[in-house]
Amino acid sequence: NAGVTQTPKFRILKIGQSMTLQCTQDMNHNYMYWYRQDPGMGLKLIYYSVGAGITDKGEVPNGYNVSRSTTEDFPLRLELAAPSQTSVYFCASRKDRREAFFGQGTRLTVV
Amino acid sequence: GESVGLHLPTLSVQEGDNSIINCAYSNSASDYFIWYKQESGKGPQFIIDIRSNMDKRQGQRVTVLLNKTVKHLSLQIAATQPGDSAVYFCAEPNSGGSNYKLTFGKGTLLTVNP
């Protein structure tokens, strides 16, 4: 069982560059989430989705965009990277209100 | 707004001692909580959950207590082992009244000294 898969694992971006963080899950979960975690801090919700074609903002959506064209995939887009977006990004999915399953994270550095 | 937070950011214990990690919540309508463990360099993993119709729930070496009167949760780990060293988060699966949002408290870093 692959679970939640995130790519890439590491990335260095220059200020102003764009990139897409990929997230895919093979558990047929409707609910998917993107979080960022700064060093020594908790998880902040960026965007979430309750199903294909439906997304909504979380706590810290500015500077990010998402799409959900399929149940499996929930990519996170950074259009104009800024140093403040240096963080570890986690994708998660869940079937219902119970446990969420997380990917291994993408460590992003913006220089 | 509604939030889930933690009292203590760090906790250091000796191997074999019991650990208690605390969490406060502000939404009195919250009816379900989950504890997650995040080991260094990994994503969080589910430990145990509790519904608001319960005061206590036990798992393997872990117990979660819920005090609805003061809106407080605690996670107790018995006979703490080095492998328990991690950040522990409490989560409210229906943040802000939504059944879909999932937000986390600040987290507590547990360090187990051999």
Side-chain angles (χ1 to χ4, degrees):
Chain A
N1 246 354
V4 179
T5 303
Q6 290 183 237
T7 56
K9 287 186 170 53
F10 303 93
R11 183 73 186 268
I12 298 175
L13 276 183
K14 293 184 178 179
I15 295 171
Q17 286 186 321
S18 301
M19 78 164 293
T20 299
L21 283 67
Q22 302 291 345
C23 175
T24 187
Q25 50 94 8
D26 62 358
M27 297 172 282
N28 201 33
H29 288 170
N30 282 327
Y31 307 130
M32 295 189 74
Y33 305 84
W34 273 107
Y35 298 89
R36 60 176 287 171
Q37 185 175 35
D38 298 334
M41 303 294 284
L43 295 157
K44 291 294 185 183
L45 179 64
I46 305 172
Y47 271 96
Y48 65 103
S49 170
V50 301
I54 307 170
T55 63
D56 208 346
K57 294 178 180 179
E59 302 167 288
V60 290
N62 291 344
Y64 307 94
N65 279 299
V66 293
S67 60
R68 184 97 182 268
S69 57
T70 66
T71 299
E72 294 79 20
D73 301 306
F74 190 41
L76 177 71
R77 179 84 178 158
L78 282 72
E79 289 295 347
L80 291 170
S84 62
Q85 294 178 304
T86 294
S87 191
V88 180
Y89 292 83
F90 287 100
C91 178
S93 74
R94 60 175 178 163
K95 179 181 177 182
D96 50 33
R97 289 178 70 203
R98 288 174 291 176
E99 65 176 302
F101 295 84
F102 284 79
Q104 291 299 298
T106 294
R107 187 175 297 274
L108 176 66
T109 302
V110 182
V111 296
Chain B
E2 305 296 348
S3 65
V4 180
L6 289 172
H7 291 303
L8 299 172
T10 62
L11 177 64
S12 184
V13 301
Q14 291 298 122
E15 182 177 357
D17 288 351
N18 296 333
S19 303
I20 300 176
I21 300 169
N22 297 303
C23 178
Y25 63 95
S26 57
N27 183 3
S28 56
S30 295
D31 63 350
Y32 181 56
F33 302 89
I34 302 178
W35 281 96
Y36 287 86
K37 173 185 180 183
Q38 185 180 25
E39 297 177 359
S40 180
K42 297 183 178 180
Q45 287 188 301
F46 172 92
I47 303 174
I48 191 168
D49 58 2
I50 187 167
R51 299 191 183 279
S52 62
N53 61 353
M54 304 169 70
D55 296 324
K56 179 180 179 178
R57 187 161 191 219
Q58 287 185 297
Q60 186 177 12
R61 282 199 307 115
V62 295
T63 300
V64 57
L65 300 178
L66 175 61
N67 186 329
K68 294 179 285 294
T69 302
V70 295
K71 292 184 281 189
H72 181 269
L73 284 160
S74 67
L75 177 72
Q76 300 179 358
I77 305 173
T80 314
Q81 303 168 0
D84 295 325
S85 293
V87 178
Y88 291 82
F89 296 97
C90 61
E92 182 188 12
N94 61 333
S95 308
S98 164
N99 279 329
Y100 312 125
K101 267 188 177 180
L102 176 60
T103 60
F104 289 81
K106 194 185 305 183
T108 293
L109 172 62
L110 175 65
T111 302
V112 182
N113 302 309

